[in-house]
Amino acid sequence: MSTSGTVEGRLAELGLKLPEVAVPLASYVPAVRTGRYVHTAGQLPLVDGKLPVTGKVGSEVSPEQAKELARTCALNALAAVKSVAGDLDRITRVVKVVGFVASVPHFTGQPGVVNGASELLGEVLGDKGVHARSAVGVAVLPIDAPVEVEILVELAD
């Protein structure tokens, strides 16, 4: 397996690379560790510091595009976790995922969109990636992002 650990090795097997931690857009930090837990800030689907698409799901953004963006959010969240945990192999459990979907009023597919994040965490972490979750529709997100995801993980001692 990869010298950088089994989680990052699994990411590589999936053709993914852990990105640099996204620079906060306001007065906060990407992640905070308290005891055995790491809480991430909401992660946007930034790729190289830019949003690949903007707008509302159900209008400018398709549910399929939004699901892929949620995967990117989860990848960014893992990068934020690593920034304070040091090693993703210390994750013993993803406890909670919260996904926000900027969507038109009649769109009710938020759970399917946030599945993008949940599925990525499962692919990368296996049983450790199984979690409780909320998927919430909102009017607008920062910089007109279609989706935002935050995670709470538990670490080994």
Side-chain angles (χ1 to χ4, degrees), residues 76-112:
N76 289 341
L78 288 173
V81 168
K82 183 179 178 185
S83 75
V84 296
D87 184 350
L88 293 177
D89 291 326
R90 296 190 60 217
I91 296 173
T92 60
R93 182 85 197 227
V94 177
V95 178
K96 178 87 185 237
V97 171
V98 180
F100 303 95
V101 181
S103 47
V104 295
H106 65 273
F107 182 76
T108 59
Q110 291 83 5

Side-chain angles (χ1 to χ4, degrees), residues 35-150:
R36 293 177 53 176
Y37 295 92
V38 176
H39 295 258
T40 71
Q43 300 294 310
L44 300 178
L46 297 170
V47 176
D48 297 325
K50 297 183 177 98
L51 285 177
V53 65
T54 59
K56 305 289 180 285
V57 180
S59 180
E60 302 90 352
V61 181
S62 73
E64 296 78 17
Q65 286 175 301
K67 184 177 179 180
E68 282 301 311
L69 294 170
R71 284 179 66 86
T72 301
C73 292
L75 195 59
N76 289 341
L78 288 173
V81 168
K82 183 179 178 185
S83 75
V84 296
D87 184 350
L88 293 177
D89 291 326
R90 296 190 60 217
I91 296 173
T92 60
R93 182 85 197 227
V94 177
V95 178
K96 178 87 185 237
V97 171
V98 180
F100 303 95
V101 181
S103 47
V104 295
H106 65 273
F107 182 76
T108 59
Q110 291 83 5
V113 169
V114 181
N115 277 349
S118 295
E119 291 168 5
L120 175 85
L121 293 168
E123 290 169 24
V124 172
L125 297 165
D127 289 343
K128 295 175 184 179
V130 177
H131 52 268
R133 188 182 86 181
S134 298
V136 181
V138 298
V140 67
L141 289 167
I143 63 175
D144 204 20
V147 65
E148 180 175 341
V149 173
E150 62 184 57

